[in-house]
Amino acid sequence: MSMREQAHLAGVSHTTMMRLARWLDLDRYEDMRSIYAKALRTSAESPLPERRQDGDGSYSTVGVVAGTLAAEIARLGECANAMQLTAAASVLAESRNLFSLGLRAEHPVAQHFAYTLSRLGRPAVVLDAAGGLGIDALRGVGKGDVVLAVGIEPYCRATIETARQAARQGVAVVAITDSSVSPLARMAKASVIVISNPQSFFKSIAPALVASEILAKLIAAKSGLNVYEVVKEIERQLAELDVFWKR
């Protein structure tokens, strides 16, 4: 957070934060923030388990990967992250039209977010379609509309460009991303920062996926919907369409 944001949450003046930095023998608050950020990144790193000599190491790999993912997801419940999720949900819940954007690795997150909301009675349009027609849904949108954009490094160029186009049209951007200085965060009205460290040879979307589910639940609550009645009616309609397998 910025010095003023941190001071506001701590209930002190921003000059107090400056004095704290000097008391720690640092020149400025930014030095203190960079040390803390480095410590977070270091503590979150999980080196790949070494190959065991008495087998293929699969058991230890499972434990390390599962433990790392559990820790990354658990961080979403910490105070600062919970505040980010609540603020992001407030922007999304007040939208006139709601869109979901995520391509390549992040596409499942965008799709699942829209699907979850549809089951809760709050439709969202996924900005993706066969033939590259997804962005066509942005025609005529503007102030009052909101897009949830998901982007984890390496950032998909099409995601960034689509979010920028939406912002130019007056659409508010809410981001699920992995850095407060990512391209999406820098244009977003509200951001949810998730930690996504490499698991084996890729970055997991699990923290971003969980964040999207939390947002969906918060949006339903903030929208004033009678979720129980909405879900009950949607399930009745799906049953009539014989969508799900039954014994």
Side-chain angles (χ1 to χ4, degrees), residues 162-180:
T162 302
R164 282 178 177 163
Q165 177 60 36
R168 282 194 291 267
Q169 294 179 220
V171 177
V173 176
V174 173
I176 296 179
T177 186
D178 58 346
S179 169
S180 60

Side-chain angles (χ1 to χ4, degrees), residues 178-241:
D178 58 346
S179 169
S180 60
V181 294
S182 75
L184 287 177
R186 294 174 69 177
M187 72 177 80
K189 184 174 182 179
S191 297
V192 177
I193 308 300
V194 297
I195 295 176
S196 182
N197 290 303
Q199 300 296 325
S200 295
F201 306 105
F202 62 91
K203 285 189 175 182
S204 173
I205 63 169
L209 190 67
V210 173
S212 75
E213 289 189 344
I214 295 173
L215 286 174
K217 186 170 184 178
L218 290 173
I219 291 167
K222 290 177 177 292
S223 297
L225 298 172
N226 185 332
V227 177
Y228 175 79
E229 292 298 329
V230 170
V231 171
K232 185 177 179 180
E233 175 60 19
I234 290 174
E235 289 180 345
R236 184 192 65 78
Q237 295 174 5
L238 293 176
E240 288 182 353
L241 295 171

Side-chain angles (χ1 to χ4, degrees), residues 15-185:
T15 55
T16 300
M17 304 302 294
M18 295 170 60
R19 288 196 296 269
L20 173 61
R22 288 195 291 269
W23 184 77
L24 293 170
D25 291 328
L26 300 172
D27 292 333
R28 55 198 183 114
Y29 171 79
E30 289 297 327
D31 297 329
M32 181 168 65
R33 184 165 69 166
S34 64
I35 291 172
Y36 178 66
K38 182 179 180 181
L40 276 181
R41 287 193 296 267
T42 302
S43 64
E45 289 175 357
S46 58
L48 297 178
E50 295 182 1
R51 189 177 181 88
R52 292 174 57 180
Q53 298 299 319
D54 56 342
D56 62 3
S58 296
Y59 183 81
S60 60
T61 299
V62 169
V64 170
V65 173
T68 301
L69 287 176
E72 292 173 356
I73 291 171
R75 287 190 179 94
L76 292 172
E78 294 177 357
C79 181
N81 295 326
M83 292 177 64
Q84 289 182 352
L85 286 160
T86 301
S90 295
V91 177
L92 292 164
E94 294 172 0
S95 64
R96 179 181 58 185
N97 296 302
L98 184 55
F99 301 91
S100 181
L101 171 63
L103 302 173
R104 298 183 68 84
E106 291 82 45
H107 181 256
V109 180
Q111 187 69 52
H112 185 61
F113 174 73
Y115 175 77
T116 303
L117 279 182
S118 71
R119 296 298 305 274
L120 298 175
R122 182 68 162 85
V125 177
V126 181
L127 296 177
D128 183 32
L133 299 176
I135 197 172
D136 286 21
L138 291 178
R139 290 182 297 180
V141 301
K143 188 175 181 181
D145 299 324
V146 183
V147 56
L148 175 71
V150 187
I152 306 296
E153 191 179 20
Y155 309 109
C156 177
R157 182 182 298 276
T159 298
I160 306 304
E161 291 177 348
T162 302
R164 282 178 177 163
Q165 177 60 36
R168 282 194 291 267
Q169 294 179 220
V171 177
V173 176
V174 173
I176 296 179
T177 186
D178 58 346
S179 169
S180 60
V181 294
S182 75
L184 287 177

